[in-house]
Amino acid sequence: MGRSPVPPSSNQSNLKKGAWTTEEDQQLINYIQNHGHGSWRSLPKLAGLNRCGKSCRLRWTNYLRPDIKRGKFSQEEENMILHLHSILGNKWSTIATRLPGRTDNEIKNYWNTHMKKKLLQSGIDPMTHQPRTDLFSCLPQLLVLANIKELLEHNQLAQNLQYFNHFLQPNTGLSTLLNRTSSIPLFQEENLNFVSEFPVLEDDQESEEIRQFPVGTSNVTQPLHQEVSIMNLETSNDFKHVGHCQGQSAFTSVNSSPSISAVTWNPIPPLIDNTTTTTTNNSGSLESGSTISYSGGDGGASSYNWPEFLFEDSFKLDQTLLEMS
DNA sequence: AAAGGCGGCAACCGCATCACG
DNA sequence: CCGTGATGCGGTTGCCGCCTT
């Protein structure tokens, strides 16, 4: 389907390109107001313009058309673009039909220069509208792992590092934690029982419960759009719940008493905004309904903090390792 | 004050699709 | 049904003005 592009004819090479002058604009406006645009190809000649028809059409539809709304995009327009893009993707012309006075080109530019950036800063992939899974988005997690390792070393548990390293092997604890940051399950179901390899007290019934907890399966991650109304992503508090683990800490401690069925895993470990408060229960795990966010607001510098429980549980990991040794 | 970097946006390019003879 | 011209669309480029050093 389609046709190969028309090779430029000799007279086309003399056609003017680049920015339009006010005189050219006025010529085009006058002609279209008096005659309509008719055939775009013949228009330039009839209007006395040394431009190709395509250039005239673009100038008219993107800039000179009288019904064009200029100026900053409103919050409602922004929300609409976000919503429509999550459904339609880069169908700028279709999106433009839902935003009176805005052109596809304008929306496309606004998306590429403003909204895309905001989403990336929020840890959201602008194409999929889901949490990012690339290396940079995992950087905070990697840094925490580095901190945990350092912690172990400083607590003179170097002898247990071999065990720690075991955790970093595929199909085991921390690598599986990292794996959770991806909405795509990396490991097969038969290899998921990392917790069963975690040493627990044999008489601990709750620990047994944890041992049976499957991790890394596709049903424990949820696509963003299933949980969050895209429409008010930026202004709504819903945005603050994107990607957090509801009901229980990401590190399930052997000493805590989790209700496994109540746990909902989301792709990205939680980050706590300084401006919000979190509550912890007696076991140090995060209460359901705590407010956790990537960043919302106006795309400004966001303050990421890792939740206290993550570090608290790393100490419990220490204790467990001590008990083992 | 000058130079370089960067972001925003208008315009261009190439391909896809539609329409018509 | 096929070929061709016209138009639409999305990705990309390059200019221009502002900001930083």
Side-chain angles (χ1 to χ4, degrees), chain A residues 60-79:
Chain A
W60 175 257
T61 55
N62 288 337
Y63 200 81
L64 298 174
R65 232 173 50 194
D67 58 332
I68 283 185
K69 190 200 285 184
R70 308 210 71 84
K72 201 176 185 300
F73 279 74
S74 67
Q75 189 61 54
E76 288 71 28
E77 287 177 312
E78 211 171 285
N79 290 340

Side-chain angles (χ1 to χ4, degrees), chain A residues 17-34:
Chain A
K17 288 183 183 178
W20 281 63
T21 64
T22 49
E23 289 77 19
E24 286 177 312
D25 281 346
Q26 203 51 56
Q27 262 181 285
L28 184 58
I29 291 168
N30 289 342
Y31 182 85
I32 290 175
Q33 280 177 348
N34 292 328

Side-chain angles (χ1 to χ4, degrees), chain A residues 7 39 107 163 167 180 233 237 272 288:
Chain A
S39 164
I107 293 167
Y163 187 83
F167 265 29
R180 284 194 198 116
L233 191 59
N237 282 336
I272 295 180
S288 177

Side-chain angles (χ1 to χ4, degrees), chain A residues 12 20 24 35 38-39 91 96 106 113 160 180 203 236 243 270-271 295 318:
Chain A
Q12 268 184 315
W20 281 63
E24 286 177 312
H35 306 94
S39 164
K91 300 286 179 192
E106 195 178 9
T113 54
N160 289 317
R180 284 194 198 116
D203 295 330
S236 164
L271 296 168
S295 81
D318 285 352

Side-chain angles (χ1 to χ4, degrees), chain A residues 73 76-77 80-81 84 95-103 107:
Chain A
F73 279 74
E76 288 71 28
E77 287 177 312
M80 179 64 84
I81 293 167
L84 292 172
I95 293 170
T97 62
R98 303 293 297 272
L99 290 158
R102 300 294 188 183
T103 69
I107 293 167

Side-chain angles (χ1 to χ4, degrees), chain A residues 142-195:
Chain A
L142 295 171
L143 288 172
V144 165
L145 287 179
N147 284 340
I148 291 171
K149 190 172 179 178
E150 196 176 340
L151 204 102
L152 288 169
E153 287 168 347
H154 287 166
N155 281 299
Q156 302 193 345
L157 288 168
Q159 69 273 20
N160 289 317
L161 277 177
Q162 189 178 355
Y163 187 83
F164 181 80
N165 286 334
H166 169 70
F167 265 29
L168 292 174
Q169 297 304 311
N171 309 327
T172 58
L174 293 175
S175 64
T176 309
L177 172 69
L178 280 177
N179 197 24
R180 284 194 198 116
T181 65
S182 168
S183 58
I184 303 164
L186 297 178
F187 302 133
Q188 297 303 311
E189 196 160 2
E190 59 266 26
N191 298 327
L192 294 173
N193 205 13
F194 95 88
V195 185

